[in-house]
Amino acid sequence: MLDALWQRRALLVSGKGGVGKTTLTAALARAAVASGRRVLVAEVEVSSDEQNGPSPLASLVGVREPGPRVTEVSPGLSFVRLSPIEGQRLFLQDVLPLKLMAEAAMRMRALRRFLEAAPALREMGVLYQMLHLIRSTRSDGGQRHPLCILDLPSTGHALALASLPDTLLSVMPGGPIGRSVREGMGLLRDPALTGALLVTLPEPLPVSETLELAAAIQRHRIPLAGGVLNRVPENPFSPDGRAAVEKLLGEHGPHQGQRALGRLDRARAAEARLAGSLPVPLFTVPELPATGIQLVERLAQYLTRPAPNAPSRAGAPS
Ligand SMILES: Nc1ncnc2c1ncn2[C@@H]1O[C@H](COP(=O)(O)OP(=O)(O)OP(=O)(O)O)[C@@H](O)[C@H]1O
Ligand SMILES: [Mg+2]
């Protein structure tokens, strides 16, 4: 089921704050590595002042010093923090005839200020560095990073990245910039190469927001790869057991158990609504009693478990 995801070159993990994007990026990467893929997990540097600041993703994959250079964490798993400045440097290097000139240009304070001031140029740097990594090959000609999983910091960021090619092309349609933007656009918009994974929680409002995000992302012609319904509570009841519990709770007045039952119902409704509205597979991921790296390991195990026969052990598209 996940194999279809691993065939792509770039997975963009997006969703509202706190829904589990970073945790799932790390877990998906581990699951892909366990299936024999080589994976680069990437995050976007928040600001150039924080080039070496803390990174939740880096800690979850076991990197101590996150930075704009690729770090190999373990066989098959690498990490990078995409940096606008690094991407812009690579861009100038490709556009200006000599590497030395590109480096000299990047040292000019005025140029740096200009590049940092325009938000589109920040995004361009990020996109360019990502493209550069995706295109990079090894000495034997093979792909250095066959699969890149990018943890996007916010839905706004996903949309900014998605709308970037149009913005840039409208300003600079020709020349080397236009050419590299077109190339980026070709990659970002090809469903065989790129896909957005939209993470959400099993409650009505987050689901509505996710459906809006899915529509916005598609309007920008970024392909969707899947929905991820995260933190789905375990349903311990058989239909008979549930009826018995409801009867008991009914007889004894309001009780905390009723809240738990309500949560289960909302999770089921969320799953049905997403499965009915998203044009892509929906993966359901359970709420697990763990945190940090331990949670990532357990989620990766869950994602790579043998194909379940019983439909109640969700994870397959509905
Ligand atoms: N399946 C899960 N079961 C239990 N806890 C989870 C699960 N997924 C995520 N969490 C917890 O939810 C919290 C938020 O997760 P995470 O930081 O990955 O979200 P995020 O979407 O990356 O947040 P942000 O938008 O702030 O970057 C963390 O404490 C994490 O441990
Ligand atoms: Mg995060």
Side-chain angles (χ1 to χ4, degrees):
M1 184 51 236
L2 288 164
D3 283 350
L5 293 183
W6 308 154
Q7 301 313 316
R8 292 186 172 76
R9 301 294 317 278
L11 289 173
L12 312 176
V13 181
S14 187
K16 280 280 182 177
V19 294
K21 297 177 294 291
T22 302
T23 304
L24 283 165
T25 299
L28 283 164
R30 272 179 175 257
V33 170
S35 319
R37 304 284 296 172
R38 260 181 304 121
V39 183
L40 173 68
V41 285
E43 67 178 2
V44 179
E45 173 195 296
V46 183
S47 89
S48 54
D49 307 338
E50 289 181 23
Q51 262 179 27
N52 295 307
S55 152
L57 181 61
S59 341
L60 288 181
V61 295
V63 170
R64 285 219 192 94
E65 288 182 22
R69 309 261 173 222
V70 175
T71 314
E72 182 162 24
V73 188
S74 53
L77 182 62
S78 303
F79 170 92
V80 70
R81 175 177 268 182
L82 297 176
S83 132
I85 296 285
E86 176 68 10
Q88 290 160 354
R89 191 182 64 77
L90 290 166
F91 174 76
L92 288 178
Q93 196 172 303
D94 290 351
V95 172
L96 294 181
L98 281 174
K99 193 173 169 199
L100 278 179
M101 273 172 69
E103 299 198 336
M106 281 311 280
R107 278 199 296 273
M108 279 167 51
R109 287 219 347 252
L111 177 68
R112 288 273 294 252
R113 269 207 305 276
F114 167 73
L115 289 171
E116 276 175 57
L121 293 175
R122 257 189 73 87
E123 305 297 339
M124 186 201 81
V126 168
L127 189 65
Y128 202 82
Q129 193 189 359
M130 192 174 114
L131 278 179
H132 180 88
L133 290 168
I134 289 176
R135 276 192 314 225
S136 80
T137 50
R138 297 185 303 194
S139 50
D140 64 3
Q143 295 160 348
R144 193 178 294 278
H145 305 294
L147 171 63
C148 173
I149 308 182
L150 176 60
D151 175 15
L152 286 170
S154 69
T155 54
H157 213 104
L159 294 178
L161 210 59
S163 60
L164 175 70
D166 289 329
T167 316
L168 282 177
L169 277 183
S170 67
V171 195
M172 300 173 267
I177 297 190
R179 208 166 45 241
S180 85
V181 169
R182 265 178 244 281
E183 191 189 333
M185 200 152 71
L187 177 101
L188 272 182
R189 292 188 173 161
D190 183 343
L193 298 179
T194 299
L197 270 178
L198 304 186
V199 184
T200 188
L201 295 177
E203 294 286 343
L205 191 60
V207 169
S208 297
E209 288 170 347
T210 303
L211 293 176
E212 281 164 24
L213 175 64
I217 282 200
Q218 285 176 296
R219 268 200 303 281
H220 285 108
R221 293 192 281 144
I222 302 288
L224 289 181
V228 183
L229 189 60
N230 189 24
R231 308 190 72 160
V232 174
E234 191 195 0
N235 181 359
F237 300 117
S238 65
D240 284 355
R242 161 114 193 195
V245 169
E246 272 177 4
K247 186 157 172 281
L248 206 68
L249 290 174
E251 282 164 8
H252 292 84
H255 194 279
Q256 232 198 339
Q258 263 149 346
R259 291 235 313 266
L261 287 184
R263 193 166 167 240
L264 284 179
D265 291 342
R266 291 196 300 283
R268 214 173 36 208
E271 187 175 351
R273 192 167 157 221
L274 282 172
S277 310
L278 285 179
V280 282
L282 176 67
F283 303 90
T284 60
V285 173
E287 162 98 0
L288 294 178
T291 55
I293 291 188
Q294 203 193 16
L295 175 62
V296 168
E297 277 168 8
R298 289 187 56 184
L299 289 174
Q301 273 167 16
Y302 175 83
L303 292 168
T304 45
R305 74 206 184 285
N309 295 323
S312 61
R313 291 197 64 196
S318 310

